[in-house]
Amino acid sequence: MFFKLLLTVACFLFLSCATLSGKYERRDDWPVYEIPDDASVIETKLENGCDYVKVIDAEFPLIFHLVKIPLENFSVLTCMPEKIYEDGFVKAQKTKKFSRRTDSYIAINTSPYSFYKGLNPIKRKDLRRISGVYRENNITFSEPVAKYASVAFYKNHSARIYFSQTDEVEEASAEESAVLTVGGFFPLVKEGKKTGKYIDNKEQQTALGISKDGKTVFILVVEGTDFEKSRGLNYSETSDILIHYGVWNALMFDGGHSTALCIDKKNVLSSAFQRKVPLSLGFIK
């Protein structure tokens, strides 16, 4: 009994704060972030017409990554997990492993989720339940949640952000149904402006935005597990960066320790840690 209690406490500490390090603590009086003129900006041309920008602001400090993806240059997008169970759970997988399994050129984590709470310790290790919509190839694997946003991808190489996941279901017709729909958390940007609904905690963040014509996807990943290198941002500051780069509509995916970005099957974040997540989004050449 004592051993079981000790194991539970250890798991809680690992899941909640094991990767948080550095001399900084979360503070409400940290200044609002604005991209400074003297930040180190590394711009890279990737394959298939993608642009990659890494910004390092040593003063704040902050590190963020932005990838600009023309959808017309990618033939396939997928979130398909390794295994889906009948009871609504999926087998979780690190985004890096997902990118290798699916041969994705660019991959990020997506939906929020809950952990398996059953008595079987083997299942508990890898099972996650998706919180929100996930639909691929006309099969619905997880139902929409009205208070959360989603992104839908279409056959004509375009994408659309829905500010409520139930809107996509109501508006779609058989002729224009999405080939892939995946949910996130709350919307960030609507028609080039902040939505005004924010969570203030500075965290590691994963966000997805689209251009006004829906033909270009913007992936923004903000680092924030090691405060000595990067403090993370809140929703409002994340929105500011997306708008700065020309995003028209955007939503937040799951952040914190779930945050991941892989390019050409390699982790590009400073931390090597990746949590197993139920869904990652892969752009396949």
Side-chain angles (χ1 to χ4, degrees), residues 6 14 79 95 104 111 138 145 155 171 179 184 193 264 266:
L6 185 63
F14 173 76
C79 289
T95 299
S104 296
S111 304
N138 293 318
V145 175
K155 291 180 180 179
E171 295 178 18
V179 294
K193 298 179 181 179
D264 199 14
K266 299 179 182 66

Side-chain angles (χ1 to χ4, degrees), residues 53-83:
V53 178
K54 180 178 180 180
V55 176
I56 305 172
D57 179 358
E59 280 297 314
F60 189 70
L62 189 76
I63 300 172
F64 69 82
H65 310 254
L66 185 128
V67 186
K68 187 176 179 181
I69 305 169
L71 289 176
E72 64 181 0
N73 293 346
F74 287 84
S75 57
V76 179
L77 289 84
T78 188
C79 289
M80 190 60 67
E82 188 173 14
K83 190 171 183 179

